[in-house]
Amino acid sequence: MTIEASVTDRPAQDYVAIKRTVTMSSIADIADRIPEVLAFLRQRGLAPAGAPFLKYNVIDMDRELEIEAGVPVNMPVGGSGEIFSDVLPAGRYATVTHVGHPDELLQVTADLLSWAHERDLEFDQHDSPAGDVWRCRLEIYHTHPAEVPIDKWETELAFLLR
């Protein structure tokens, strides 16, 4: 697959999120929590500052993944219960936008990783016994799943570079 990837500078971004440890077959358990984060903001009279995302913190495809379901906000917001606030780091990101079924994202991710490797770009990540630890690896969902057919979803991958 040929991808149209690029390197993009992104500013720091406040966000609120819920974090979970899941497996490849249970990623929906965290992705399905995005509406709770959006409801948390609505209850406080706050609007999202951008599209919701999943942030992959630790990845071991054969065992577990630590993932956050997050929503960007315009200012720091205090958390409550499982919902916490944090900041996505500013920096240079390798990015690509995919329009299609989410099942294709595994291949798009592999293609983005290869694209960066071919250009000697290093990601801000390191190995650990728990898996690959990423400082910031995002899947940003630009379409509303209830309004757009699944094979037309627009998803942006943005992986922080060193």
Side-chain angles (χ1 to χ4, degrees):
M1 176 184 288
T2 303
I3 62 169
E4 292 187 29
S6 62
V7 174
T8 306
D9 288 316
R10 297 174 65 97
Q13 175 67 63
D14 290 297
Y15 72 98
V16 291
I18 295 175
K19 186 183 325 186
R20 280 278 184 281
T21 300
V22 297
T23 63
M24 283 297 292
S25 63
S26 67
I27 288 177
D29 291 349
I30 187 62
D32 290 346
R33 304 295 299 273
I34 290 172
E36 289 177 53
V37 180
L38 291 166
F40 170 85
L41 292 176
R42 274 193 307 277
Q43 290 166 357
R44 285 153 183 76
L46 300 171
F53 58 84
L54 292 183
K55 180 176 178 279
Y56 291 74
N57 296 330
V58 182
I59 300 172
D60 182 330
M61 303 281 275
D62 296 326
R63 293 183 301 162
E64 294 181 326
L65 304 95
E66 181 188 279
I67 301 175
E68 298 174 22
V71 177
V73 291
N74 286 321
M75 65 184 118
V77 175
S80 176
E82 292 182 276
I83 296 177
F84 64 93
S85 63
D86 206 341
V87 178
L88 299 174
R92 293 172 52 240
Y93 285 73
T95 64
V96 66
T97 299
H98 170 69
V99 177
H101 197 286
D103 286 348
E104 299 166 349
L105 287 173
L106 201 56
Q107 183 59 53
V108 174
T109 298
D111 292 343
L112 180 60
L113 296 173
S114 293
W115 177 89
H117 178 74
E118 290 166 6
R119 287 155 182 78
D120 294 322
L121 299 172
E122 268 189 70
F123 292 105
D124 195 342
Q125 63 92 214
H126 65 274
D127 296 333
S128 81
D132 296 329
V133 178
W134 290 76
R135 186 158 169 239
C136 193
R137 178 173 165 161
L138 303 172
E139 280 183 9
I140 305 164
Y141 305 105
H142 291 289
T143 48
H144 191 296
E147 298 170 357
V148 178
I150 196 166
D151 62 336
K152 302 223 185 304
W153 286 4
E154 181 180 317
T155 307
E156 177 186 359
L157 303 182
F159 299 177
L160 183 63
L161 298 168
R162 256 189 237 290

